[in-house]
Amino acid sequence: MAAHPSTKDNSANSLRKIWFDPNVRALVFQIIVVIGVIGFFYYIISNALFNLEQRGITTGFGFLNQTAGFGIIQTLIEYDESHSFGDTFIVGLLNTILISVLGIIFATILGFIMGVARLSNNWLIAKVATVYIETLRNIPLLLQIFFWYFAVLRALPSPKQSINVGDALFLNVRGLYLPSPIMEAGSNVVVISFMIAVIGCFLMARWAKKRQVLTGQPFPTLLVSLAVIVLVPLVVFFAMGAPIGLDYPALKGFNFRGGMVVIPELAALLVALTFYTATFIAEIVRSGILAVSKGQSEAAESLGLTRTQALKLVIIPQAMRVIIPPLTSQYLNLAKNSSLATAIGYPDLVSVFMGTTLNQTGQAIEVIALTMAVYLTISITTSFLMNLYNKKMALVER
């Protein structure tokens, strides 16, 4: 028996209704995209493995256990030519983290200072800040790195003609030589006392903030914290018989021996990253301050607060809600821009691992994958921490 025409029409209408349902169509298109992406990567990986097999190149991470056979000019862990490629990865990773953390700290400080300075009532300070921001943020970062490295630091004198500061600091073309600490028995107690002092100051700052909210009375947190951080370890230091000494650098032959050195590659990269990123942070800070209602400044003045007190207690806390999101982007940019270190030979992850290690092992896929994973992890971690801070600073609705 043939189906009734109305039955066929109902079925067609039902299918048409399902197809034109936005949720159903969205799900279908998502499934198609996922299948396409999986197929694409499957083809790429299969093709790469086939080509590697044809050329006799082994895959895997076994090369990390092979002897590296090359030195690195700056290492935060014990390392020499007899160590493995896995150790070169760790050395490059630590150097990348070092320049990123230092750059973020110094760029934030300089950026906040310049951002506030650009809004200063003092004409000269405001114009100097404006010239600094508008000049450096419009010059490519790579050119600034080259300027500090080749035009400034490479022009310093040789080790024998070093700039001497109190027979303790020596500046020359090979870097800045500083005294290094010598940790003797009992030094760990001094270090622990310093850590306890820092934790105590953090807890004290939280208590002082709650106290001010409840009573309205401010507490000199900064001065007390500085006193605690300096005096507590100092008292423990002398009580333990001065267990921490200093190893001073000394010129022996054609170079300095002893102490520690800040290599010119680190200095040039740090200065360039700091000055460049600080210009963008300064504009973020300026826009954040201007985003705060002018009535807040007038209210602070009516209470008798000075301009500095108004910035610290009224304006900046409110501006931070506007500043933090774009500030996070600048932190991420700084960490990724640190990969330009390879241009001047600073031994970061890209230079040491994706450069020298890749050239010696030929394990391109593994090396590049590890390097990408590191930068991805650094970015995700930075974003996560800044999001936590942003959530803390956000307005809480009642």
Side-chain angles (χ1 to χ4, degrees), residues 309-330:
Q309 291 174 328
L311 277 173
K312 178 183 176 182
L313 301 175
V314 179
I315 307 302
I316 295 296
Q318 297 183 64
M320 288 301 295
R321 303 183 183 108
V322 179
I323 291 172
I324 293 174
L327 183 64
T328 303
S329 298
Q330 293 306 317

Side-chain angles (χ1 to χ4, degrees), residues 69-134:
F70 63 90
I72 302 176
I73 59 176
Q74 175 182 292
T75 61
L76 300 181
I77 60 173
E78 185 178 353
Y79 174 85
D80 57 38
E81 291 82 354
S82 63
H83 283 65
S84 66
F85 287 118
D87 292 328
T88 66
F89 171 77
I90 296 175
V91 169
L93 172 62
L94 293 177
N95 286 339
T96 296
I97 293 175
L98 174 66
I99 189 65
S100 299
V101 172
L102 291 178
I104 286 174
I105 293 173
F106 292 136
T108 301
I109 295 173
L110 181 60
F112 266 80
I113 292 174
M114 287 299 172
V116 174
R118 192 168 184 183
L119 297 174
S120 174
N121 293 327
N122 186 297
W123 183 88
L124 180 60
I125 293 176
K127 293 304 178 183
V128 168
T130 301
V131 170
Y132 159 75
I133 293 170
E134 296 300 333

Side-chain angles (χ1 to χ4, degrees), residues 223-295:
L223 295 178
V224 175
S225 298
L226 290 175
V228 170
I229 291 175
V230 172
L231 294 178
V232 171
L234 192 63
V235 171
V236 176
F237 173 80
F238 286 111
M240 297 299 297
I244 301 177
L246 292 176
D247 179 23
Y248 289 89
L251 182 62
K252 296 181 180 180
F254 296 100
N255 204 355
F256 281 85
R257 297 289 184 269
M260 59 182 180
V261 59
V262 178
I263 60 175
E265 292 80 8
L266 171 61
L269 183 63
L270 179 59
V271 171
L273 283 174
T274 298
F275 281 18
Y276 180 76
T277 308
T279 60
F280 295 94
I281 294 178
E283 285 298 274
I284 292 171
V285 171
R286 184 176 72 92
S287 62
I289 293 174
L290 293 177
V292 178
S293 172
K294 189 177 180 181

Side-chain angles (χ1 to χ4, degrees), residues 348-372:
D348 75 326
L349 188 65
V350 173
S351 176
V352 172
F353 193 65
M354 206 174 79
T356 309
T357 299
L358 174 58
N359 291 333
Q360 292 196 10
T361 62
Q363 306 291 140
I365 295 178
E366 294 83 353
V367 169
I368 294 176
L370 282 174
T371 306
M372 292 173 62

Side-chain angles (χ1 to χ4, degrees), residues 149-169:
Y149 185 67
F150 292 107
V152 177
L153 298 181
R154 301 301 293 178
L156 291 172
S158 64
K160 288 189 176 181
Q161 283 78 40
S162 297
I163 300 174
N164 184 352
V165 180
D167 289 331
L169 308 180

